[in-house]
Amino acid sequence: MMMNSMPVAPLLGVPFEPFSQTHILTQRYYRRQLVDDVAGESVPADASYDDIVFVSDLPLPARVLRPGMSLPKGLLLPSDTLFFIVDDDSIITLVGCAEGRR
């Protein structure tokens, strides 16, 4: 089941397979705000720690794609790379992997 209609495959350069609503990673990360603590971003004052996830806490290997970003063509990623797609407000809208890699 797709969580939204965002065309993700062109961003990744690979067929993308979002995890279902019942997948444990979807349940853990979907609709939470991503805070890039690695880059020094601080937690918004109005955010609840139950509603955020830090980049440093994402399982590895992971790639975060923000609006307007795409992966370079020909980039080789580990076969178990997880993708976290976020919207303009840094809310995680999709969690998944390359098609056939589950």
Side-chain angles (χ1 to χ4, degrees), residues 29-37 41-42 44 47 51-55 58 64-67 69 84-94:
Y29 296 110
Y30 181 65
R31 303 303 305 161
R32 292 178 72 188
Q33 183 173 3
L34 187 66
V35 174
D36 194 349
D37 59 327
E41 185 178 4
S42 58
D51 296 331
I52 63 169
V53 63
F54 294 101
V55 167
L58 294 177
V64 175
L65 287 176
R66 298 180 186 279
M69 288 179 65
F84 296 85
I85 315 299
V86 298
D87 64 14
D88 291 327
D89 297 320
S90 293
I91 304 297
I92 298 172
T93 58
L94 281 175

Side-chain angles (χ1 to χ4, degrees), residues 2 4-5 9-11 17 21-23 26-28 35 37 48 53-54 58 62 66 68-69 74-75 78:
M2 291 286 292
N4 71 17
S5 60
L11 295 174
E17 188 171 351
Q21 292 282 8
T22 59
H23 193 283
T26 300
Q27 291 177 358
R28 180 171 181 168
V35 174
D37 59 327
S48 163
V53 63
F54 294 101
L58 294 177
R66 298 180 186 279
M69 288 179 65
L75 178 67

